[in-house]
Amino acid sequence: MASAAVAGPGDQDADNASGPDASYDIPDQYENLDELAATGGGRDGDNLDTIRRGGEAQPPTASASKAQAETRASSLATQLYTLSYLVFFSIFGTLARIGLAHLTTYPGAPTIFPTLWANVGGSFIMGFLVQDRKLFRQEWGTPIYHELLQRARAKTGDEETAERSSIDLAAAKKAHLATKKTIPLYIGLATGFCGSFTSFSTFIRDVFLALSNDMVSPDLHGLAPSHRNGGYSFMALLAIIIETVGLSLSAYIAGLHLGSALEPYTPSISFRFTRNVLDRLFVLLGWGCWIGAVVMAIVPPHKNWRGTAVFAIVFAPLGCLGRFYLSLYLNGKRPSFPLGTFAANVLGTVILGMAWDIAHSTSTGGVLGCQLLQGVEDGFCGCLTTISTWVSELTSLRRKSSYIYGTVSVLVSTALMIIIMGSLRWTQGFAPMQCHP
């Protein structure tokens, strides 16, 4: 189990596991979630390649494994809690992304692709969550990392003792980071909210719209932009890529720094409260909100917000869960190239391109068909693809692997989007959308 792979300080693991606050029983594949395996962006220590290949992880003792197996929560309950958090936070992240896009679309806006704000914000939050060691300080009920930190700071003496304390503290940090992956609430925040708040497919769509000169500024009030030559369009394409990737990476690193700076002041979430209250509450909230969204999409009145938001949150959990399972089963296949995230981003980009073409063709199925397609784009594709996980992987992989992975992701997705959207744009042209009655 992934939870069993956490290296603890000697025999203390067995003692902790045998207490009333035992760890969650997490499936082995959870270690393939790169939001949870991120190393904090350091180039000198362990990176994502090393972690996936086994790194320096130590196998648990037989007594520790037996004690954990006897007391940990059931795997079925843990998976239910995890999926419930993912459903809820995918809905919340989608609404936050749509709302922020509307807030940042106004005449004179310095950027005319508003999803940039969500991508930067989600990457920033992801960086904070990866670096933070206080929110989930209690871990499985016993704050092992916090106790080791206090012990290491209290140690004084010769150089050898100081060096040993530094090594112990570094190992404790790695162990705490690994432990967080066993907590459903953390998975919900990192994979669910940050992954759904950001959108790789929308980023690639904006890249194509910049290339084809179809990105409409709010200052034009819906009018088509003036004609420009291909050189300017290529510069616009580069601008979208440079701004999105550069600012998202910078925001992720800033989040890491903030997590370190606020460590002395960040409150901790009680393990018992999380286990006994939040986990069970979010089972009701997650599935209840999803069912409520479906009912709102079916039952009149069919106002404009149905096409803008309701259909999006109906499809959002499907995209988030799809990305979650792709990461579980594919990210571990090739340590230097996260196949799960790559597949999710490319697949979501392809689906968004096809939905865009259908919505902008002459036969869209009327208002309802247009609203459904808009929901697929903003909800399913927006949550299936992610920028926050992508930039987390870029900072965690070895430098060569990072450049290869990032470049291939952008080039393949852009090429497919040019084929899909370009086949309509440069033949029949994009027809106006009819999503409102």
Side-chain angles (χ1 to χ4, degrees), residues 208 357 418-430:
F208 175 82
D357 278 1
I418 290 174
I419 294 173
I420 295 170
M421 292 180 62
S423 61
L424 178 65
R425 169 63 178 84
W426 292 309
T427 54
Q428 301 178 13
F430 292 145

Side-chain angles (χ1 to χ4, degrees), residues 25-353:
D25 184 14
I26 293 295
D28 292 331
Q29 297 92 340
Y30 276 28
E31 65 190 7
N32 291 330
L33 293 172
D34 290 337
E35 299 94 328
L36 318 179
T39 60
R43 291 292 180 188
D44 298 328
D46 287 347
N47 50 44
L48 200 55
D49 310 46
T50 306
I51 290 175
R52 286 232 187 80
R53 290 190 176 99
E56 301 175 1
Q58 300 295 325
T61 62
S63 59
S65 299
K66 182 178 179 180
Q68 290 181 12
E70 291 175 351
T71 57
R72 62 167 66 112
S74 71
S75 177
L76 182 61
T78 300
Q79 292 184 59
L80 175 62
Y81 296 150
T82 302
L83 296 179
S84 300
Y85 279 118
L86 290 174
V87 169
F88 178 83
F89 283 112
S90 67
I91 293 174
F92 183 41
T94 300
L95 290 175
R97 171 163 38 87
I98 294 174
L100 188 59
H102 280 78
L103 286 174
T104 54
T105 301
Y106 53 87
T111 175
I112 60 175
F113 51 108
T115 311
L116 174 69
W117 287 88
N119 288 336
V120 171
S123 299
F124 179 81
I125 297 172
M126 174 70 83
F128 176 84
L129 290 172
V130 167
Q131 187 65 27
D132 170 74
R133 298 185 183 94
K134 291 296 290 294
L135 283 176
F136 302 96
R137 179 178 66 90
Q138 295 189 12
E139 299 181 356
W140 299 333
T142 302
I144 299 175
Y145 166 72
H146 180 72
E147 292 176 356
L148 287 176
L149 178 64
Q150 297 300 323
R151 191 183 309 163
R153 287 175 175 172
K155 284 183 178 180
T156 56
D158 56 16
E159 223 174 277
E160 182 180 353
T161 303
E163 183 179 353
R164 189 182 304 113
S165 300
S166 175
I167 295 174
D168 291 344
L169 185 58
K173 289 181 179 179
K174 294 178 184 178
H176 176 73
L177 182 62
T179 304
K180 286 197 296 188
K181 75 174 66 175
T182 68
I183 303 175
L185 176 57
Y186 180 81
I187 298 175
L189 290 171
T191 306
F193 178 76
C194 293
S196 301
F197 189 33
T198 61
S199 174
F200 186 88
S201 57
T202 307
F203 155 55
I204 299 298
R205 181 204 63 190
D206 290 340
V207 168
F208 175 82
L209 293 179
L211 177 64
S212 63
N213 194 24
D214 287 300
M215 186 169 288
V216 179
S217 170
D219 294 325
L220 297 178
H221 304 289
L223 299 177
S226 58
H227 176 74
R228 67 186 181 206
N229 64 45
Y232 291 135
S233 294
F234 181 73
M235 292 175 64
L237 175 149
L238 291 180
I240 301 292
I241 295 176
I242 292 172
E243 288 183 40
T244 301
V245 177
L247 290 176
S248 297
L249 282 169
S250 299
Y252 178 81
I253 295 172
L256 294 176
H257 294 169
L258 184 66
S260 296
L262 294 183
E263 183 170 341
Y265 314 104
T266 304
S268 299
I269 303 175
S270 169
F271 174 84
R272 290 183 180 274
F273 178 72
T274 302
R275 181 78 168 270
N276 298 328
V277 179
L278 289 183
D279 287 354
R280 298 172 185 179
L281 176 63
F282 274 86
V283 172
L284 299 176
L285 286 178
W287 302 102
C289 288
W290 196 5
I291 293 172
V294 174
V295 172
M296 291 175 64
I298 296 173
V299 178
H302 299 158
K303 303 295 184 180
N304 290 345
W305 46 261
R306 186 179 74 156
T308 304
V310 174
F311 280 130
I313 61 177
V314 168
F315 292 112
L318 296 175
C320 181
L321 295 176
R323 171 166 48 85
F324 175 72
Y325 283 109
L326 283 173
S327 296
L328 287 185
Y329 295 111
L330 294 181
N331 273 352
K333 301 294 185 182
R334 188 176 180 84
S336 61
F337 195 96
L339 289 173
T341 308
F342 175 78
N345 283 341
V346 172
L347 178 62
T349 299
V350 169
I351 295 175
L352 186 144

